[in-house]
Amino acid sequence: MDKIYVVFWTQGGNTGAMAKAVGDGITAAGKEPVFVSPSEANVSEISEAKAFALGCPAMGAEVLEETEMEPFVEELESKVSGKSIALFGSYGWGDGQWMRDWEDRMKKAGAEIVNGAGVICQEAPDDEAVAECEALGKAVASV
């Protein structure tokens, strides 16, 4: 079974719930999700995959989490050209600017964003957000 990495950071569990739903979509598409935190992720191994998923909530002034996820993304950024990346995350305030910035950053690095945009939800994912995450998992698995 093909493996699809789902690298995510979660604090309160909302982005973790989204990661589970992305994984459910990957499984439904016949592939195996491999869940890993950014601090445990092997950038070289992940960058060899043609598609993977990344999840992080908005932090501070709508930025990626700064101690684990940002350093991981910085290291990965030079290796994403030609890759398909599914992005997802939750937020508690603002309007999702962190996700738009993340999408732009990955596009400028040469990646294709699966479905054209990341999946976001405010606070805990509701049924609609779970369904969007499952669809995102299916889409990244079909790349």
Side-chain angles (χ1 to χ4, degrees):
M1 183 180 281
D2 292 334
K3 295 180 181 182
I4 304 288
Y5 287 99
V6 181
V7 182
F8 71 98
W9 188 91
T10 189
Q11 181 173 6
N14 296 336
T15 301
M18 295 176 81
K20 181 191 176 307
V22 169
D24 289 345
I26 292 168
T27 300
K31 299 201 176 166
E32 178 185 352
V34 177
F35 300 101
V36 62
S37 71
S39 63
E40 298 171 339
N42 181 320
V43 170
S44 295
E45 191 173 303
I46 291 165
S47 66
E48 290 176 14
K50 70 178 186 176
F52 47 87
L54 304 175
C56 185
M59 302 295 287
E62 288 206 77
V63 296
L64 297 175
E65 187 278 328
E66 296 171 304
T67 60
E68 288 186 44
M69 196 65 175
E70 179 60 36
F72 169 77
V73 171
E74 282 179 7
E75 187 178 353
L76 184 66
E77 195 168 2
S78 66
K79 299 172 172 66
V80 299
S81 184
K83 307 295 181 185
S84 294
I85 304 174
L87 299 175
F88 63 92
S90 63
Y91 66 101
W93 59 90
D95 68 353
Q97 185 62 45
W98 103 102
M99 182 58 73
R100 291 189 296 277
D101 292 344
W102 198 9
E103 292 164 356
D104 289 344
R105 181 178 177 183
M106 295 294 99
K107 287 176 187 174
K108 285 178 183 171
E112 179 180 330
I113 305 303
V114 174
N115 292 343
V119 173
I120 64 173
C121 71
Q122 191 167 22
E123 305 297 345
D126 58 14
D127 290 345
E128 181 181 338
V130 167
E132 288 180 31
C133 287
E134 288 173 353
L136 185 66
K138 289 177 185 173
V140 75
S142 69
V143 170

